[in-house]
Amino acid sequence: MMYRNWVEISLAQVRANYDELKRAAGVEICAVVKADAYRHGAERVASALEAHGARWFAVSNTEEGVKLRQAGINGHIIVMGDFLPFEQEALRDYSLTPVIHSLSRLRDYQRFAAQQPSGDWPVHVKLDTGMGRLGVRTAIQQVIDALRDCAPLRFEGLTTHFAAASDFDSPQTPNQIARFEHGLTALQVAGLTPAMVHMSSSAPVVFGLKQAFGTMVRPGISLYGYGLHGSPSAPAAQATVKPALTWNARILEIRDMPAGAAVGYNARWHAPCASRIGVIACGYADGIPHQLSCKGHAVVAGQLVPFVGAVSMDLITLDLTSVPQAQCGGTATLIGPGYDAEDMAREAGVISYSVLCGLGNRVARVYLD
Ligand SMILES: *Cc1c(COP(=O)(O)O)cnc(C)c1O
């Protein structure tokens, strides 16, 4: 099968990244496979990791968790992004572990669980230690009271999420760790000791922030080989992870354009001299940021070449004047060695996460084992 626009995902590289993060953290890894594993394909990634020994997975919502169960994942699946009353049945039917973000939600779920004939009802409670988004913000004594009386729910985990984990030039993370430790200690003193304690996304693991490891860490972006850039005083990265995904699209046409010819919507680019313009089979519908109009780069025949003209929905145009060996039907690498998602994000003024999550459904996915 030939493709016009496809990503190749190395499951071997995802496994290698997982091993590397596990080595660096020295604690349990909860593989974050939300948003379709940052568009690497949640079912394939989670299946590959489970076969490799992974026991914990995290998704954002119930629907993502259900899909993983239906794909045969047996490990723990944590639903991080809250749930609504109509999702409680699915949590039950698919043995998903919700993160609880408020005491009223805890009581709702407790009431629901109490009406069921039987079952194990693990929950992880998230403390809002400074992210200011989701998470329990009530006084810890009220949390203690609620958890003492939460049967049949089982308080399995305590968690929080950092707002600025790769910023080592701000007190945000140390402050959040201190608030979390305060809550955890109070719970332990009250005899409520969760088996799983987890705070860290990729950045604390990558940069070796041991105080934030708890008994489990939750890396996402680093499993896919990114997230190695911190603020100026960030320590050197302690984990060597590499991108698992490369993105190629075909060169549909190569046109010789005379000096002065306009290219693309709104004629944003005019050939400064006689130029060879390659028309590539991908556009913003596939996830090329529109902000890369006249600004992005791709790799053709090993050379970095510039985007010219606007990024269209289905096409981009490249200046191939300096690559005489480029041919129709050949490939342009949008993300790969020499120009990765981080480079694309930087040029577009966005973040590598949004570049990866922006990969469109129309882009075929090919898995390499
Ligand atoms: C997305 C997410 C993670 C993973 O973050 P990365 O920066 O991709 O490693 C961890 N925890 C929570 C709560 C998240 O939402």
Side-chain angles (χ1 to χ4, degrees), residues 32 34 38 80 126 133 161 201-202 218-222 353:
V32 177
K34 64 185 175 186
Y38 299 43
M80 300 187 295
K126 177 154 164 187
R133 214 174 46 172
H161 190 48
S201 57
S202 292
R218 301 185 308 266
I221 195 96
S222 55
Y353 296 74

Side-chain angles (χ1 to χ4, degrees), residues 9-16 40-41 44-45 48-49 244 367-369:
I9 294 153
S10 165
L11 295 172
Q13 188 59 56
V14 175
R15 283 191 294 266
H40 291 61
R44 294 297 297 263
V45 166
L49 288 176
Y367 288 90
L368 314 171
D369 257 327

Side-chain angles (χ1 to χ4, degrees), residues 85 88-89 92 106-119 121 150-153:
Q88 294 179 139
E89 275 92 358
R92 172 197 65 197
L106 181 78
R107 279 186 290 270
D108 290 346
Y109 194 52
Q110 179 182 16
R111 208 170 300 126
F112 172 79
Q115 287 159 4
Q116 312 301 314
S118 64
W121 302 91
C150 74
L153 304 184

Side-chain angles (χ1 to χ4, degrees), residues 60 62 68-69 76 94-95 150-151 215 217 284 292 300 307 350:
S60 180
T62 307
L68 285 190
R69 281 285 180 249
H76 305 269
Y94 294 89
S95 303
C150 74
T215 67
V217 292
Y284 59 77
L292 288 182
V300 175
F307 284 31
V350 298

